Amino acid sequence: MGDSSTTENGVKPKTGIKVIIVGAGFGGLTAAIECIRHGHTPVIYESFPSLKVLGDIITFGPNAGRIFARWDNGSVAAKMRSISIDLQSYGFNIHKWDTGEIVLNQKTPPPNPKAPMFNGHRGELHEIVFNYAQEIGVEILLGQRVDNYWEDETGAGLVLADGTKVHGDVVIGSDGVRSKARTLVLGYEDKPKSSGYAVWRAWFSNKDMLADRETAHFCESGDTFNGWIGPDVHFLFSTLKGGSDCCWVLTHRDEHDIDESWSFPGKIADVKKLLHTWDPMCTKIISKTPEEKIVDWKLVYRDPLPNWVSGYGSAPGHGRICLLGDAAHPFLPTSAQGATQALEDGATIAVMLRKAGKENVRGALRAYQDIRYERVKKVQKTGETTRDMWHNTDWEKVKKNPEIIQFPREDWVFGHDAELHAEEMGDELIAKASEGLKAAKI
Ligand SMILES: Cc1cc2nc3c(=O)[nH]c(=O)nc-3n(C[C@H](O)[C@H](O)[C@H](O)COP(=O)(O)OP(=O)(O)OC[C@H]3O[C@@H](n4cnc5c(N)ncnc54)[C@H](O)[C@@H]3O)c2cc1C
């Protein structure tokens, strides 16, 4: 079993495990940072040629905050905090879709420096994490498209688009929702399904909002968060960075053809048409959005994959390649946990590899799947339950008890400490996985 002692700066002694990571999203970057903390040597291969500040709003729950807060004594979390929404005084106003009345003001829990929450621009938060990974010595190779994967009894690696073969001890496929690694691990192509929903989303400056006295109040005195909940649709609108930036996400029914591309330019006219019977404030906000900022994002869905690790269960292979983050488990935005669960994966895998040691990376990967699988499946479900709870609201019941409509903040989701849990359960799970490997003579 691996060395659990810690050197002076909190980084564990070297394990000699070379971890090849595909994708520099939040999942891949976190896995790499945690690998450094636990003594491994990670290298990331990423297809994009340079870092770009992409996307719009993204949420990290306290269960992700607990991971960020451990990096560089909290300095990474402090940077992320400075550009994230602050709702301590405003909370979350939940409106009835047609009348616009505020049925509930959901208070924001007091800040917890050990487990902070972040809601901010995906690209800006990503840049902070990317820079930190580089600062602590993670090798990130950009412009490297991975074309294929290989593994045998003693090693695993990649084949890049230019034909270069890369060697390591273990490969983490954190290549996102359209993962190639997934096909390799499963041994077949797992096609995405339509979720039956899509989102229009936008991030824009407050200029036009400020110019109209009916909308200016959202941007004049700090950050705000408002949600309009209605039949089969919900519209979430936030202002951030003291009200200077605006962002909305509108979830609605859409039986799209999922063979198409998943992200298109959105049209203001379509959004307005959908909201024409809604509280006129929603249309006002839409009207202040520059059309080129609207994205029409189709939400695809996958049933939970049977395996995330090669050579495990029905999956072919030698047990040295695993999936992580969206590649293993895409989430619906209403769970607000997609990126957070990718972080939990990264924190877990680094602990398992250290505990199992270089000679037993296959036991580590199986233990990673065993400790994560049921939790992730349960959290994935919350994306559907929250959406369905909002889209089928019984307003008579809400009148009597407005709290039934609040955004769920459940302790089993938010209170989880992935690193601690892996430290506590790791030895037992690795021993069990090793028995399984022995019995299967793998
Ligand atoms: C450009 C972009 C914008 C996004 N915007 C938002 C947003 O606004 N709001 C939100 O909630 N979520 C957004 N997401 C999704 C969100 O970041 C993820 O759901 C979450 O962070 C989980 O991250 P992940 O690391 O598992 O996957 P991703 O963040 O999808 O990262 C996967 C990475 O793998 C790389 N990759 C894929 N295939 C290969 C290959 N063959 N070779 C090398 N590299 C490869 C991709 O370029 C990407 O950087 C976005 C994702 C991306 C990639």
Side-chain angles (χ1 to χ4, degrees):
M1 291 269 163
D3 188 345
S4 63
S5 61
T6 304
T7 55
E8 250 171 50
N9 58 4
V11 172
K12 306 277 188 202
K14 290 278 178 219
T15 61
I17 303 175
K18 182 169 178 191
V19 184
I20 311 241
I21 297 172
V22 184
F26 282 104
L29 288 172
T30 300
I33 292 166
E34 292 293 324
C35 278
I36 295 269
R37 288 183 67 229
H38 288 274
H40 321 307
T41 307
V43 188
I44 300 182
Y45 291 83
E46 166 57 57
S47 57
F48 61 65
S50 60
L51 184 65
K52 288 204 182 105
V53 179
L54 296 171
D56 45 73
I57 198 147
I58 199 163
T59 302
F60 292 98
N63 41 327
R66 213 167 264 120
I67 295 168
F68 290 129
R70 291 188 174 121
W71 297 349
D72 198 27
N73 295 319
S75 81
V76 178
K79 278 186 203 153
M80 294 174 72
R81 179 74 261 144
S82 70
I83 55 166
S84 294
I85 203 164
D86 178 358
L87 296 171
Q88 279 307 313
S89 55
Y90 196 88
F92 174 34
N93 285 334
I94 302 186
H95 302 250
K96 185 163 182 284
W97 64 284
D98 50 354
T99 62
E101 72 193 278
I102 296 174
V103 291
L104 179 73
N105 173 261
Q106 187 173 354
K107 301 280 174 237
T108 302
N112 175 357
K114 291 202 163 140
M117 282 192 72
F118 305 104
N119 241 298
H121 192 284
R122 184 224 180 241
E124 294 173 2
L125 294 168
H126 183 248
E127 191 176 23
I128 292 171
V129 175
F130 185 95
N131 290 342
Y132 176 61
Q134 283 195 319
E135 268 168 42
I136 61 167
V138 175
E139 194 179 353
I140 306 178
L141 302 167
L142 298 180
Q144 304 289 334
R145 173 162 295 282
V146 173
D147 259 4
N148 219 333
Y149 293 70
W150 65 268
E151 61 176 331
D152 57 28
E153 272 111 61
T154 57
L158 314 168
V159 182
L160 302 175
D162 67 3
T164 309
K165 196 169 175 190
V166 175
H167 296 252
D169 295 300
V170 45
V171 175
I172 298 177
S174 42
D175 52 347
V177 74
R178 299 187 217 192
S179 170
K180 235 184 195 174
R182 186 192 296 126
T183 307
L184 187 109
V185 165
L186 294 180
Y188 62 87
E189 193 174 350
D190 179 76
K191 291 254 183 211
K193 298 197 279 196
S194 162
S195 68
Y197 286 84
V199 291
W200 281 300
R201 45 198 310 163
W203 184 289
F204 54 104
S205 112
N206 66 1
K207 193 169 122 285
D208 291 347
M209 294 282 295
L210 278 175
D212 183 333
R213 65 186 168 77
E214 281 189 59
T215 51
H217 65 93
F218 288 112
C219 305
E220 282 172 336
S221 37
D223 297 352
T224 66
F225 186 25
N226 287 271
W228 283 258
I229 309 298
D232 261 342
V233 178
H234 64 274
F235 175 58
L236 302 176
F237 172 64
S238 358
T239 57
L240 306 91
K241 299 188 194 163
S244 71
D245 290 10
C246 304
C247 166
W248 54 258
V249 178
L250 170 60
T251 304
H252 61 103
R253 275 215 162 273
D254 184 337
E255 294 297 340
H256 47 271
D257 172 359
I258 41 99
D259 283 338
E260 297 169 16
S261 160
W262 303 341
S263 174
F264 307 89
K267 293 198 186 75
I268 284 206
D270 293 342
V271 186
K272 281 188 174 167
K273 194 168 152 206
L274 185 86
L275 294 178
H276 79 280
T277 54
W278 282 49
D279 174 12
M281 181 54 81
C282 301
T283 305
K284 273 239 160 220
I285 293 167
I286 302 297
S287 308
K288 311 295 175 202
T289 313
E291 188 159 46
E292 71 277 9
K293 300 282 183 187
I294 304 178
V295 175
D296 178 4
W297 186 312
K298 309 300 186 192
L299 300 176
V300 296
Y301 199 68
R302 287 171 197 279
D303 289 326
L305 303 181
N307 297 291
W308 305 344
V309 175
S310 67
Y312 198 14
S314 56
H318 294 275
R320 290 174 175 269
I321 304 178
C322 71
L323 303 174
L324 178 150
D326 280 5
H329 43 66
F331 273 70
L332 293 173
T334 26
S335 72
Q337 278 281 318
T340 296
Q341 291 303 313
L343 259 84
E344 286 193 2
D345 287 348
T348 304
I349 209 159
V351 173
M352 292 302 184
L353 285 169
R354 191 199 79 239
K355 280 180 170 288
K358 189 173 162 84
E359 297 313 313
N360 191 16
V361 296
R362 296 179 308 163
L365 296 195
R366 286 183 170 213
Y368 151 71
Q369 174 174 316
D370 289 348
I371 197 172
R372 297 285 303 140
Y373 194 84
E374 287 306 318
R375 169 171 173 78
V376 171
K377 209 163 117 182
K378 206 167 150 202
V379 181
Q380 253 174 325
K381 265 276 168 235
T382 64
E384 285 170 76
T385 47
T386 303
R387 179 197 67 202
D388 294 346
M389 178 258 293
W390 277 350
H391 287 188
N392 302 306
T393 303
D394 179 335
W395 293 101
E396 285 310 308
K397 280 195 185 149
V398 171
K399 251 189 221 161
K400 286 185 201 127
N401 181 10
E403 311 236 309
I404 60 170
I405 203 172
Q406 68 186 354
F407 184 80
R409 291 196 181 114
E410 293 179 273
D411 197 47
W412 70 269
V413 181
F414 283 7
H416 190 71
D417 184 332
E419 182 177 3
L420 185 67
H421 188 51
E423 290 288 1
E424 285 171 355
M425 300 295 298
D427 292 334
E428 188 185 324
L429 289 170
I430 291 164
K432 198 172 133 229
S434 309
E435 284 302 310
L437 282 160
K438 227 186 270 166
K441 297 197 173 70
I442 297 174

